Amino acid sequence: MLITALAHLLILGRPTGSKLKVAVLAATGMVGQRYVSMLSNHPFFRVAVVTGQNSVGRKYGSATATSNLPIGKDAKGLTVKATNADALDDVDVVFSPLPTDVAKTLEPELARAGFTVITDASPHRMDRLVPLIVPEVNPSHLGILEQQRKVKKWKGLLVATPNCTAAGLALVLKPLHDTLKLKKVIVSTLQAVSGAGYPGVPSLDIIDNVIPFVKDEEEKVETEPLRMLGELGKDRISPAKFDISAMVHRVATTDGHLESLYVETEEPFVPDKVEKILKSFRGEPQKLKLPTAPAEPIIVSNLEARPQPKLDRYAGTVPGMSVVVGRIRKGLDSRSGRLTLLSHNTIRGAAGSTILTAELMYRKGLLS
Ligand SMILES: NC(=O)c1ccc[n+]([C@@H]2O[C@H](COP(=O)([O-])OP(=O)(O)OC[C@H]3O[C@@H](n4cnc5c(N)ncnc54)[C@H](OP(=O)(O)O)[C@@H]3O)[C@@H](O)[C@H]2O)c1
């Protein structure tokens, strides 16, 4: 016990008893439940507050019948509070998978009041002063927070996690753009029903069916990766200069978004070389050995018909955090190629990426 506590102090710089207190807003939703489950026994963070809407007043352990994810015993006994600043006590970090309309007004209010909010919701993702982060892709964009403080005069901070489809896509485009320089990306998606929250798409609409539309999704997939792959300047992030065209589909899988890509590159697209580039990619979270960082952010499968949601969504050392890529092959000419990727939407596309961002901010001294 003493050895564990000393090791903790040496590695993390904090005694075991003093983990940062976090609040999970909308903790009973599809993403909220992922947070609470992933934060059980987390070395830096302890869930101290859970909030909701219809489940307010219930014990968290009995308010989350929509999934069977394991929940830590601390969180099980918490009472779900109403979602407002008064409920948050003195938490150090607020994880916010709020519904869009609520996030739009409440998140800036919380940041103004002094809370550090990291959000999975969409309204502030394209605000020029809000960093949109996938920790392996653009950790340096956290640098815009200095401007955010100056210009918005908030006592706290607001950081965003991208759209669930854009997160996995950006992770794969990053090493490709760094090495082959992307000119054009065409992506067609097959997105799981959990991406629509609970209860999501009516069963009679989705069973035995594919719906070639997800509201506002194509716009997000076409813009957010460009922002993440862009350059941080003095007071803004200039987007990367290539084009993305997206065609999205909702399919009857539970978790995991599959994305088929066609890319045009300035450098030759050589499948064996691309495989090595993707396999060897590591980001700052891997270098820092952050607790939620998978050893391989991108896993390449050479099996014929992979990746598949059912078989691959939990691949890797931190289940759900690795993107699995397969079917790397040439396109129409030597400077184009094709591949398929799979990314877990509520983990890499939401709670997992956001927890990893919080771990990175903690290590960079951005959390109190
Ligand atoms: N699902 C995904 O794959 C995914 C991925 C990335 C980002 N996101 C984003 O994450 C957010 C949550 O998505 P989700 O899939 O978790 O949705 P969800 O399963 O529908 O859950 C909705 C949650 O919001 C709470 N809620 C509803 N109205 C509220 C209000 N007025 N004030 C406070 N809380 C309220 C609900 O609490 P009660 O149960 O107590 O009513 C519930 O916890 C959305 O912004 C979504 O776009 C989702």
Side-chain angles (χ1 to χ4, degrees):
M1 190 71 179
L2 182 63
I3 293 173
T4 315
L6 278 174
H8 212 273
L9 191 57
L10 283 172
I11 297 165
L12 307 175
R14 294 175 76 89
T16 27
S18 66
K19 292 181 186 180
L20 295 190
K21 289 198 275 180
V22 308
V24 180
L25 310 185
T28 50
M30 295 305 290
V31 177
Q33 291 176 78
R34 279 284 170 203
Y35 272 111
V36 176
S37 184
M38 290 186 79
L39 290 166
S40 310
N41 304 314
H42 192 282
F44 304 172
F45 307 128
R46 169 173 73 82
V47 179
V49 174
V50 287
T51 81
Q53 170 78 349
N54 298 320
S55 50
V56 171
R58 292 171 64 185
K59 287 282 179 232
Y60 187 71
S62 66
T64 53
T66 58
S67 93
N68 58 359
L69 296 174
I71 309 170
K73 65 175 184 311
D74 291 350
K76 248 183 209 164
L78 292 174
T79 301
V80 180
K81 293 185 176 179
T83 306
N84 56 50
D86 294 342
L88 302 182
D89 302 325
D90 55 349
V91 297
D92 301 287
V93 188
V94 177
F95 292 121
S96 175
L98 281 172
T100 312
D101 52 334
V102 190
K104 191 170 181 178
T105 49
L106 186 62
E107 287 172 350
E109 267 173 50
L110 295 177
R112 195 172 301 119
F115 293 100
T116 295
V117 181
I118 318 183
T119 178
D120 302 291
S122 59
H124 307 290
R125 286 183 192 144
M126 298 309 276
D127 181 322
R128 87 177 165 88
L129 295 173
V130 174
L132 180 65
I133 302 289
V134 168
E136 285 92 342
V137 173
N138 59 340
S140 67
H141 288 192
L142 288 170
I144 201 78
L145 289 171
E146 215 174 292
Q147 278 294 315
Q148 187 188 93
R149 272 219 163 100
K150 262 192 215 154
V151 176
K152 298 203 186 265
K153 303 197 187 334
W154 290 340
K155 286 190 246 158
L157 299 170
L158 181 58
V159 174
T161 292
N163 161 276
C164 46
T165 311
L169 178 61
L171 191 51
V172 171
L173 295 185
K174 163 79 179 160
L176 292 180
H177 193 47
D178 284 351
T179 52
L180 306 182
K181 208 107 185 40
L182 293 165
K183 279 165 63 183
K184 196 181 279 178
V185 174
I186 297 168
V187 55
S188 181
T189 72
L190 301 165
Q191 302 185 206
V193 282
S194 65
Y198 189 87
V201 189
S203 55
L204 281 176
D205 290 350
I206 196 69
I207 293 172
D208 186 29
N209 207 7
V210 172
I211 300 169
F213 176 72
V214 178
K215 193 171 177 344
D216 298 333
E217 191 81 353
E218 288 176 351
E219 294 77 358
K220 292 171 189 167
V221 176
E222 288 171 354
T223 53
E224 293 181 14
L226 298 178
R227 178 145 202 256
M228 285 182 275
L229 294 170
E231 285 203 9
L232 172 69
K234 211 164 106 355
D235 61 356
R236 69 189 60 241
I237 293 153
S238 320
K241 290 189 175 65
F242 61 90
D243 294 319
I244 303 179
S245 174
M247 293 155 281
V248 302
H249 306 81
R250 183 78 69 196
V251 299
T253 49
T254 53
D255 290 310
H257 292 350
L258 200 77
E259 307 179 30
S260 285
L261 265 60
Y262 188 93
V263 299
E264 288 180 12
T265 51
E266 278 179 23
E267 300 298 323
F269 186 104
V270 181
D272 288 351
K273 199 171 148 202
V274 168
E275 179 178 332
K276 282 196 192 106
I277 290 167
L278 295 176
K279 261 188 179 162
S280 60
F281 173 68
R282 301 287 181 274
E284 208 173 325
Q286 283 71 35
K287 285 178 196 129
L288 293 172
K289 296 193 183 327
L290 296 176
T292 305
E296 292 177 281
I298 301 171
I299 294 173
V300 178
S301 171
N302 289 314
L303 297 172
E304 195 174 56
R306 303 285 274 277
Q308 294 180 21
K310 220 161 128 176
L311 302 180
D312 297 310
R313 57 188 157 219
Y314 295 113
T317 55
V318 181
M321 283 299 284
S322 291
V323 173
V324 182
V325 170
R327 306 220 59 226
I328 303 171
R329 58 213 190 278
K330 286 178 82 155
L332 289 172
D333 58 34
S334 62
R335 283 176 166 72
S336 61
R338 293 172 281 173
L339 58 83
T340 300
L341 72 88
L342 174 76
S343 172
H344 196 299
N345 51 298
T346 60
I347 301 180
R348 176 50 86 173
S353 273
T354 310
I355 292 171
L356 192 56
T357 298
E359 291 169 359
L360 185 67
M361 290 174 72
Y362 173 81
R363 277 295 173 82
K364 285 180 180 287
L366 287 165
L367 304 179
S368 55

